[in-house]
């Protein structure tokens, strides 16, 4: 592989690493939102159970939907985040290998 090809591949890997880092951050945000939905649904059921708010079908459907949806989204997002972090680690390792293959030299200025 020529030096220019190696540099192009390193640039491609760096762009991929950045894209994967953004995907992992989006997944992390979804996990936080999903946990909030679970907590909101649980709080709604708890408030209805102790009589703070009136018990009705709409509230029950909302609470159960929020809780189940939150669990599903959290699990899916966690899986997506783990996959993105794993792919990011692989791309970083490949980039390190390419950088090592061009044998960069440290220059000391006095």
């Amino acid at each position: 592989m020529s030096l220019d090809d190696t540099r192009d591949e390193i640039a491609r890997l760096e762009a991929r690493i950045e894209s994967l880092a953004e995907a992992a951050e989006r997944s992390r945000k979804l996990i936080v939102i999903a946990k909030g939905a679970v907590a909101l649904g649980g709080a709604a059921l708890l408030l209805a159970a102790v009589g703070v708010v009136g018990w009705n079908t709409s509230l029950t459907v909302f609470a159960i939907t929020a809780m189940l949806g939150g669990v599903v989204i959290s699990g899916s997002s966690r899986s997506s985040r783990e996959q993105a972090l794993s792919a990011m680690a692989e791309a970083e390792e490949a980039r390190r290998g390419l950088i090592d293959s061009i044998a960069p030299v440290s220059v000391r200025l006095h």
Side-chain angles (χ1 to χ4, degrees), residues 40-58:
L40 182 63
L45 284 178
L46 180 65
L47 292 173
V50 295
V52 174
V53 295
W55 191 277
N56 63 50
T57 306
S58 297

Side-chain angles (χ1 to χ4, degrees), residues 6 10 13 90-104:
T6 301
I10 290 169
L13 285 169
E90 289 174 14
E92 287 172 342
E93 183 61 33
R95 182 186 67 166
R96 268 192 296 278
L98 287 172
I99 291 171
D100 289 345
S101 75
I102 60 174

Side-chain angles (χ1 to χ4, degrees), residues 31-46:
I31 292 167
V32 170
I33 291 169
K35 286 180 179 181
V38 170
L40 182 63
L45 284 178
L46 180 65

Side-chain angles (χ1 to χ4, degrees), residues 5 22 27 79 89 95:
D5 290 343
E22 290 170 358
S27 293
S79 175
R95 182 186 67 166

